[in-house]
Amino acid sequence: MKITVDEDKCCGAGSCVLTAPDVFDQRDEDGIVVLLEARPHRERHDAVREAATVCPAAAIHVGEEA
Amino acid sequence: MTPHPETAVSPEIPDFPAPRSSGCPFDPSPDMRALSDRGPVTRVRSWGGSTPWAVTGHAEQKALLADARLSVDFSRPGYPSPVDPRYTHAGGTTDLSFVGMDDPEHNRLRRMISGAFTVKRVQAMRPAVQRMTDSLIDEMLAGPKPADLVQALALPLPSLVISELLGVPYRDHGFFQRNSRTMVSAVATGDERHAAHTALSEYLDDLVGRKTAEPADDLLSALGRRIEAGELTRREAATMGVLLLLGGHETTANMISLGTLLLLRHPDQLAAVRDATGQRAVDDAVEELLRYLSIVHLGRRRTAVEDIEVGGRTIKAGEGVILLGELANRDPRVFPDPDRLDVTRDARGHQAFGAGTHHCVGQPLARLELQVVYPTLLRRVPTLRAAVPLEDTRFKYDAVIYGLHELPVTW
Ligand code: HEM
Ligand code: HEM
Ligand code: SF4
């Protein structure tokens, strides 16, 4: 799994932080997403997919390459 | 906007909004529901013969709200502004800061305040929100019965919370609350509302000045630093302060009162919220109430700046688009058995806060307030009940922010 985030689209909602806190954080100054791990461990894949689905700005993209 | 020749005179296009005739007060009206049957993207007839698109589907709304080819700028020809004279600011009488701007201008301003709404910052406010909720409930319980839950709890709580966030000194809370209440009051005259708006704008302008000179740990002080750095004018800062106050006041208040009434009518669901042992169960209940009630009615409004293919239709550049969150949130493709209130379902995909770049900036705070207020109220006042029958409850049927004029309760 390879995650990419679009900082321009991100609206700082933090849904990703609530869903997968080991993978996503937010910048203090404006709440924009910080990707902690672009290739997270398998056990986090479900949470990451869920974060991508609930992201209100469609700013998280999950690629399935190894 | 020039209406499309082939559709402009078609008698089959339904009027929007249709007057509310019947149906459960907690559900979208049957006429509104009928729009969903016409497909996820369908034409409606609005004022002056215009025929903007109404978007009823969940996936279609999310895609469109995240699409930069839709503009919120209400000065564009084709913008599907509600004509009703009550919808004054859509005509541009009030400066709504970044709400009426497109990116990149929108994000330049929005990102100066969004840092105050990170998950971490908002969670840190939980004890303060709990304290405010408890003291408002103390006051209500010490007063006469029946009490109006709207005046006793629903309206003051969001106003106190936003004062805390902005950094309004305690001694000014009375002034701040009085004027913000007038601004969202249904019975205030236009002149009264205008006077309250002016008073609040002047107050915030003055406070921004004081916070710039003597900064503290609050949002207005953070904006003060931006002013000193030349990134923001004092007027822009004050306008954002008014925006946060107004955007978060009646919305949150109506969720508190309407959500409480809905739970009182579903005792099993109420018990699940009252007796919830984990935070997750409370959070899920709040998401379901947000989904089910979808209190921001009559649509996010946008204008296409380029042709957009969506839901099997082509929205042409220059056409108006009305995105109906209350219908998206009842989309059976996303929420099985959508008309059933179920506080245990996973409702997180709802669009009660919109989506895309204008997604509600205050939503983490609104969620926190609701997560605190429902269980606290139900636990502290276990015998809470409505003091008037449902038939006598006054719903805000034609308001953009749906809710209750008052909610007399006893215990
Ligand atoms: C968070 C965003 C919003 C803020 C801060 C806001 C702020 C305001 C303000 C300041 C007024 C009084 C202004 C005046 O009368 O000149 C007002 C009135 C009003 N707004 Fe908004 N507004 C917001 C979103 C919306 C949306 C999305 C709509 C729907 C199109 C809407 C519909 C109305 C209506 C109908 C009134 C008149 C209320 C009445 O006269 O009873 N507002 N709003
Ligand atoms: C349950 C309560 C609330 C609901 C249902 C709600 C709903 C919404 C919706 C649907 C929008 C999107 C409007 C659009 O797309 O045109 C919005 C935007 C906004 N809301 Fe909220 N809101 C709530 C609470 C709050 C609070 C507490 C605040 C402030 C602290 C706030 C401030 C704003 C602002 C400033 C915007 C404009 C965002 C932008 O244009 O970038 N709201 N809200
Ligand atoms: S959920 Fe989406 S919009 Fe929200 S912070 Fe994460 S990436 Fe940004």
Side-chain angles (χ1 to χ4, degrees):
Chain A
M1 171 183 279
K2 168 99 167 50
I3 309 170
T4 47
V5 292
D6 185 336
E7 287 184 13
D8 290 335
K9 283 181 102 179
C10 172
C11 62
S15 313
C16 53
V17 181
L18 290 170
T19 314
D22 300 320
V23 182
F24 303 100
D25 199 357
Q26 287 173 287
R27 293 203 295 244
D28 282 337
E29 66 272 26
D30 56 9
I32 299 310
V33 62
V34 177
L35 186 57
L36 302 174
E37 262 191 301
R39 297 173 190 275
H41 189 269
R42 186 175 302 278
E43 71 198 13
R44 304 203 175 116
H45 286 190
D46 284 349
V48 168
R49 282 196 196 93
E50 196 179 336
T53 311
V54 297
C55 171
I60 301 172
H61 180 76
V62 179
E64 292 301 337
E65 47 91 282
Chain B
M1 178 176 86
T2 345
H4 260 246
E6 73 278 15
T7 49
V9 290
S10 162
E12 284 166 41
I13 300 177
D15 286 338
F16 182 88
R20 188 172 186 116
S21 46
S22 62
C24 170
F26 298 106
D27 287 335
S29 74
D31 288 326
M32 191 68 94
R33 295 298 280 273
L35 285 180
S36 296
D37 300 336
R38 301 174 68 90
V41 181
T42 187
R43 283 215 192 256
V44 290
R45 183 179 309 285
S46 195
W47 81 103
S50 67
T51 53
W53 295 97
V55 184
T56 66
H58 183 278
E60 292 77 9
Q61 276 191 40
K62 186 162 180 186
L64 283 169
L65 284 169
D67 193 321
R69 291 172 296 175
L70 283 189
S71 167
V72 290
D73 179 355
F74 40 68
S75 64
R76 274 179 193 276
Y79 180 81
S81 170
V83 265
D84 193 305
R86 287 176 309 156
Y87 299 80
T88 42
H89 72 61
T93 55
T94 307
D95 182 355
L96 284 179
S97 185
F98 54 83
V99 172
M101 298 177 187
D102 292 320
D103 288 330
E105 265 302 303
H106 161 266
N107 266 346
R108 180 184 76 85
L109 290 171
R110 174 173 165 135
R111 290 184 177 190
M112 292 187 191
I113 58 157
S114 51
F117 298 96
T118 61
V119 170
K120 253 181 263 163
R121 295 291 289 261
V122 169
Q123 284 310 324
M125 291 183 75
R126 187 178 283 269
V129 172
Q130 183 69 56
R131 199 166 11 82
M132 292 168 190
T133 306
D134 277 319
S135 65
L136 289 168
I137 294 176
D138 288 341
E139 279 171 44
M140 182 178 88
L141 292 176
K145 295 192 253 191
D148 178 8
L149 195 80
V150 173
Q151 298 296 333
L153 180 63
L155 278 170
L157 182 65
S159 151
L160 285 170
V161 172
I162 204 72
S163 319
E164 172 101 359
L165 183 96
L166 292 174
V168 174
Y170 189 75
R171 62 173 184 280
D172 297 336
H173 278 188
F175 164 87
F176 200 69
Q177 275 215 41
R178 216 167 33 250
N179 283 290
S180 57
R181 197 173 290 204
T182 306
M183 285 245 33
V184 298
S185 160
V187 292
T189 64
D191 283 350
E192 285 166 341
R193 267 206 296 273
H194 186 75
H197 185 236
T198 307
L200 278 174
S201 303
E202 284 171 1
Y203 173 79
L204 276 161
D205 187 79
D206 180 60
L207 189 58
V208 166
R210 281 188 277 151
K211 296 280 180 184
T212 310
E214 285 174 58
D217 183 21
D218 53 47
L219 182 51
L220 291 183
S221 301
L223 293 181
R225 283 191 287 278
R226 303 274 190 171
I227 297 171
E228 302 238 282
E231 297 166 13
L232 185 71
T233 66
R234 180 158 153 178
R235 192 197 164 94
E236 284 174 322
T239 305
M240 282 200 274
V242 178
L243 169 67
L244 289 177
L245 170 69
L246 296 174
H249 195 197
E250 212 197 338
T251 42
T252 315
N254 287 352
M255 267 311 295
I256 294 173
S257 57
L258 204 56
T260 302
L261 181 60
L262 181 62
L263 289 173
L264 287 170
R265 303 202 45 92
H266 291 263
D268 54 325
Q269 309 276 317
L270 182 149
V273 177
R274 186 191 54 213
D275 305 335
T277 46
Q279 186 60 41
R280 178 62 198 258
V282 173
D283 296 358
D284 281 349
V286 165
E287 297 310 308
E288 173 66 347
L289 291 170
L290 285 162
R291 176 193 79 86
Y292 196 85
L293 292 169
S294 297
I295 54 154
V296 180
H297 278 193
L298 300 180
R300 322 279 71 67
R301 293 172 184 253
R302 305 288 193 263
T303 313
V305 293
E306 288 174 36
D307 292 1
I308 304 173
E309 304 281 337
V310 62
R313 307 294 183 113
T314 305
I315 298 176
K316 293 259 195 255
E319 292 187 325
V321 184
I322 302 174
L323 303 111
L324 294 157
E326 63 270 45
L327 296 181
N329 286 341
R330 301 285 183 112
D331 187 335
R333 292 177 296 174
V334 185
F335 307 104
D337 198 1
D339 297 331
R340 195 163 57 88
L341 177 73
D342 175 2
V343 295
T344 65
R345 81 160 83 216
D346 181 357
R348 278 175 299 171
H350 70 71
Q351 291 175 18
F353 292 114
T357 192
H358 291 276
H359 183 253
C360 179
V361 76
Q363 53 79 24
L365 194 57
R367 285 180 152 125
L368 172 65
E369 292 177 49
L370 299 177
Q371 288 162 8
V372 169
V373 82
Y374 297 128
T376 304
L377 178 65
L378 298 175
R379 282 170 200 163
R380 291 204 49 198
V381 198
T383 57
L384 186 78
R385 60 186 192 278
V388 298
L390 191 66
E391 310 83 79
D392 297 339
T393 309
R394 295 197 306 134
F395 289 83
K396 296 183 172 176
Y397 280 124
D398 45 15
V400 170
I401 314 292
Y402 188 57
L404 298 171
H405 288 284
E406 67 269 306
L407 178 56
V409 291
T410 191
W411 52 90

